[in-house]
Each structure stands twice: as C-alpha cells, then as structure tokens.
Amino acid sequence: MKTVNDRSADMNDDAPGSRADLPAVSAGRPLNILIITQWFEPEPSAKGLAFAKALRDQGHSVEVLTGFPNYPGGKLYPGYRLKPVRVDTIDDIRVVRAPLYPSHDSSALRRIFNYASFAASALIVGMLCTKRPDVIYIYHLPATTGVAGALMSKLRGAPFVFDVQDLWPDTLRATGMMQNRHALALVERVCQFVYRRAARIVAVSAGIRDTLVSRGVPAEKIDVIYNWCDEQAIHEGTSAPAPAIMANRFNIVFAGTMGKAQALEAVLQAAKRVGAIHPEIQFVFIGSGVELEKLKSLKHQLELDNVVFVPRVRSQEIGAFLKAADALLVHLRDDPLFEITIPSKIQAYLAVGRPILLAVKGDAAAIIADGQCGVVAQPEDPADIAAAACKLYTMGEASRQTLAANAGKHYLQHFSLAIGARRSMDSLIKAVRD
C-alpha cells in the first residue's frame, strides 16, 4: 500500500445537485443533439439513456445513433435481430440502430469486425435516417466510432464533441488486442485525424487530458468531465435484501468485466493469502468476460473456498450486492496506461457508499486518497492486495463507516450525473459557438 500524491486540484468544483437542478443552458435556441455511441440501452454504457435524458431535460432535442445490442456477451439481446435499420423510442428518446457484426470475445479479428462494421453502417444509416443535427456528441468506445462521427460531421456541417474514454492505440497495446506496430501506428493516425477535427474533446481524467496535450491537442479545447454511474438503478437495487451467498462473511466484491485488463489472477492469489489469516473474508466476483473460465480454473487449482463467482446480473439488481458488501474491489493491470484511467466502476462504488479497495495507480488512486474513502494497494501484487483486504477487515466497523460516508459525499461533490450533464452541455454549446 502506498501514499498517493494529492490531485484534488483536478476535481470538478461544482456543487452537487439533482436532475431537476440542471440549468436550462442554451445557445440562443434549443439544439438538435445527435449522440453517436456503439453501445446504448439495454447495454451497459457510461453515456447511455440517463445521459441522453439529462441533455434533453436541459431543453434540447436528443437523438441517438447506436448499434444492435450485443455487449458484453457478443450475442444479440433477446427481442433483437439484425436488419438494415431499426428505430426505437425509449423514454421519448429516438434511438436509431445500425447493423453490426456481433462479437466481444478474445479474438482480435472478430473484435475489429465488430468495431469496423458499426462505424461503416453508422455513417450510412446516420446520413439517411437521423435528422440534421446542430451538434454531434461522439462517445469514444471504440475509437472507430469517432471516424464515422467525424465524416458525418463534415457531411452534415455540424461540429462534434469527442468523448475520449480510453486512449487508443495505447489501450489496444496494453490489453494485448493488437501488437503489430504498423497497425498501431495506423490507429494513432486515425485518432489524430479525429482529434484535429473535433470542436471540443471531453477527457474523463486529468491524465488523459495531459497525455492528449502532449500529443499536440490544444489544451483549450479539452474539458475534463468525470463519468458517473447509473444512479437510478444503483439506488433502486440497494433496497433489496442482501444475497444469501454473502451471509455471515466479510465480503469484498468485484462487479464488472473480467478481462485481460483487470488481471484478476493477482486477486485470486491474494485471496489464497487472506484465507490463511482471516478465512471469514470472502471475495465475490460478479459479471462475465473473456477471462472468467480461466479464473474459475485458477480457483480450483488454488483450492479457494473464499472465492465466489456470480453470473452477470441486471443493473437493477447489482445494487443489492454492492450495498451488502463490506468493501468493493477495483483492480487493473500494472500498466502505465491505467495510471491515467478511471475505471467506470469507481463511480458506482462511490455512489453506493461503501469502502473501496483499489489496486490501480495514478488518477484512480488519487480519487480514493482525496476522498478518504478506501485503501489503495499496488496492482498485480498479491501480498499488498492481501494486506489491504486484511486492513479493511481489522480496522473495525466504525472506521469502515467513515470511509463509506466519505465515498457517498465524494460522489455527490465531483461525479454525479447532474454535474456531468451540465458540464457536457457546456461543451456542446462551446462546440456550436466556436
């Protein structure tokens, strides 16, 4: 466990507020906003339906261009079949769906087909089936979405805001999805193409902002806006009773994708150490991912009776697990890329108000240290992770309650949907005015 340098100056200084508190900012008239995102309801997404509604509730017209839902399992959701276009209305938000190749497994080739197919069809469907926007908001996951959005921006004569959630090609290299240096160089050129043409760029961490500036992006067109969580689903779920699987144990819960970037083998090794000291501590992993079967095999090899795997649950149900947890776990590989990454689960963990065990360096660690809402360990270090788990257990209930209260307060002050939507709307208006 280590001391984290103070980064509080990078935090938003907006006061907390509810959705009803959002000011009706405008550029002189209501704007027609087109959100382009490969993933949208019913898929999990940091900038999903709640974001679209929050922009609309500020007095603007919002339309969404997205794909057919298949994330994270890589299979179409029940009730959907591929066709040239599908138009849905969700809570009065018009959602236009473009076809894609459904996939989200460990195959780099199939993942490329998934990303490229949406980028190509989104451009065609967007030009033919969406109304003319005043401004476009492009959610960067994956970066190929930015190419379609940039071309549509040019053809429609509308500026766009590019939301950078991850740095490409850095993420492709760090996760092992792509290693060919020529291919990575091509991806870098594509990203630079999008950055140059964006009217505004939203960075989800100070580290991403600083890296973009070092790569030639003008600092004055970058806004740091932290992600938020699905507040309604999280808080609805917290009223449910604690799952039986968590009864009579001290539960450290991980909820989310179990992929290569999460490097959870180190956590299972830590669980082995913890079990020898405090067998009452249980690690609960909720979700799915390309590494899940490998992790289950490792659990068997290590003979761990303090590790439980729970299949992915709906967002409306996850709150019960999070609220019943004694601590919530975040872990990423020890890679320089992740030092400027803020995993989206941090916002959900803060919002539900539970102590956090975080094994990530950099910006994410600074959030936990600034908010005094958890314990920070070294990533991919089983001994340090085990020590952090034991520290949370032995510090006592009163100390954990203080961490929990700090977590909820920290979320309201810096990460809520109300704050993020207001600042996102400011970026969209700047894009129109610039």
Side-chain angles (χ1 to χ4, degrees), residues 101-151:
Y101 174 75
S103 178
H104 198 75
D105 59 19
S106 58
S107 167
L109 185 59
R110 285 192 290 270
R111 194 79 69 89
I112 290 171
F113 283 158
N114 173 256
Y115 296 162
S117 63
F118 174 72
S121 66
L123 178 59
I124 297 169
V125 171
M127 290 298 299
L128 296 176
C129 301
T130 63
K131 61 187 177 183
R132 190 180 189 90
D134 296 306
V135 62
I136 300 171
Y137 192 99
I138 303 172
Y139 177 68
H140 169 321
L141 275 178
T144 44
T145 306
V147 177
L151 294 174

Side-chain angles (χ1 to χ4, degrees), residues 9 13 46 91 95 131 140 155 177 188 239 300 333 376 388 416:
D13 56 3
D91 286 0
V95 180
K131 61 187 177 183
H140 169 321
L155 294 170
M177 180 179 170
E188 173 65 23
S239 61
H300 178 74
R333 280 177 53 189
V376 176
S416 71

Side-chain angles (χ1 to χ4, degrees), residues 136-190:
I136 300 171
Y137 192 99
I138 303 172
Y139 177 68
H140 169 321
L141 275 178
T144 44
T145 306
V147 177
L151 294 174
M152 191 182 305
S153 168
K154 179 70 173 178
L155 294 170
R156 286 287 185 88
F160 71 93
V161 175
F162 192 44
D163 184 324
V164 181
Q165 295 281 318
D166 281 325
L167 285 174
W168 280 35
D170 311 60
T171 297
L172 301 179
R173 185 188 300 109
T175 59
M177 180 179 170
M178 185 180 292
Q179 297 296 330
N180 183 282
R181 63 186 181 88
H182 298 294
L184 291 168
L186 175 61
V187 172
E188 173 65 23
R189 288 195 293 272
V190 169

Side-chain angles (χ1 to χ4, degrees), residues 78-304:
Y80 291 87
R81 62 183 180 84
L82 287 179
K83 53 184 181 178
V85 65
R86 169 170 167 161
V87 179
D88 298 324
T89 300
I90 308 177
D91 286 0
D92 296 325
I93 300 292
R94 187 172 188 263
V95 180
V96 180
R97 298 190 184 274
L100 46 65
Y101 174 75
S103 178
H104 198 75
D105 59 19
S106 58
S107 167
L109 185 59
R110 285 192 290 270
R111 194 79 69 89
I112 290 171
F113 283 158
N114 173 256
Y115 296 162
S117 63
F118 174 72
S121 66
L123 178 59
I124 297 169
V125 171
M127 290 298 299
L128 296 176
C129 301
T130 63
K131 61 187 177 183
R132 190 180 189 90
D134 296 306
V135 62
I136 300 171
Y137 192 99
I138 303 172
Y139 177 68
H140 169 321
L141 275 178
T144 44
T145 306
V147 177
L151 294 174
M152 191 182 305
S153 168
K154 179 70 173 178
L155 294 170
R156 286 287 185 88
F160 71 93
V161 175
F162 192 44
D163 184 324
V164 181
Q165 295 281 318
D166 281 325
L167 285 174
W168 280 35
D170 311 60
T171 297
L172 301 179
R173 185 188 300 109
T175 59
M177 180 179 170
M178 185 180 292
Q179 297 296 330
N180 183 282
R181 63 186 181 88
H182 298 294
L184 291 168
L186 175 61
V187 172
E188 173 65 23
R189 288 195 293 272
V190 169
C191 290
Q192 289 296 332
F193 166 82
V194 179
Y195 297 153
R196 286 194 301 271
R197 282 154 181 78
R200 306 290 304 176
I201 291 177
V202 168
V204 296
S205 73
I208 288 179
R209 175 200 59 200
D210 296 344
T211 303
L212 290 174
V213 171
S214 73
R215 295 178 181 181
V217 179
E220 59 271 16
K221 79 171 186 178
I222 304 176
D223 300 309
V224 177
I225 305 176
Y226 297 108
N227 285 339
W228 48 88
C229 69
D230 187 341
E231 297 169 5
Q232 181 177 352
I234 287 291
H235 292 299
E236 282 179 355
T238 55
S239 61
I245 200 170
M246 298 170 69
N248 303 316
R249 302 292 291 267
F250 183 91
N251 294 283
I252 299 175
V253 174
F254 173 95
T257 301
M258 300 180 212
K260 295 183 183 300
Q262 286 70 37
L264 293 172
E265 299 93 338
V267 179
L268 266 64
Q269 296 285 353
K272 180 73 172 179
R273 293 169 177 261
V274 170
I277 306 169
H278 296 293
E280 56 273 39
I281 298 177
Q282 176 174 257
F283 290 81
V284 181
F285 296 87
I286 306 167
S288 59
V290 296
E291 294 292 294
L292 177 58
E293 293 307 316
K294 192 177 297 185
L295 292 170
K296 287 182 176 180
S297 176
L298 181 59
K299 172 191 172 180
H300 178 74
Q301 293 173 24
L302 296 175
E303 299 180 336
L304 300 175

Side-chain angles (χ1 to χ4, degrees), residues 12 14-23 35 41 45-58 137 225-233 235 347-348 351 408 410-425:
N12 303 335
D14 304 76
S18 67
R19 187 174 304 175
D21 295 329
L22 295 172
I35 298 174
E41 252 69 14
S45 174
K47 301 285 173 72
L49 181 61
F51 178 56
K53 290 167 63 178
L55 296 180
R56 179 202 62 193
D57 291 347
Q58 295 180 72
Y137 192 99
I225 305 176
Y226 297 108
N227 285 339
W228 48 88
C229 69
D230 187 341
E231 297 169 5
Q232 181 177 352
H235 292 299
Q347 284 84 345
H410 205 45
Y411 180 82
L412 290 175
Q413 289 178 336
H414 303 293
F415 301 94
S416 71
L417 170 60
I419 290 170
R422 182 171 67 242
R423 301 190 75 232
S424 298
M425 195 65 242

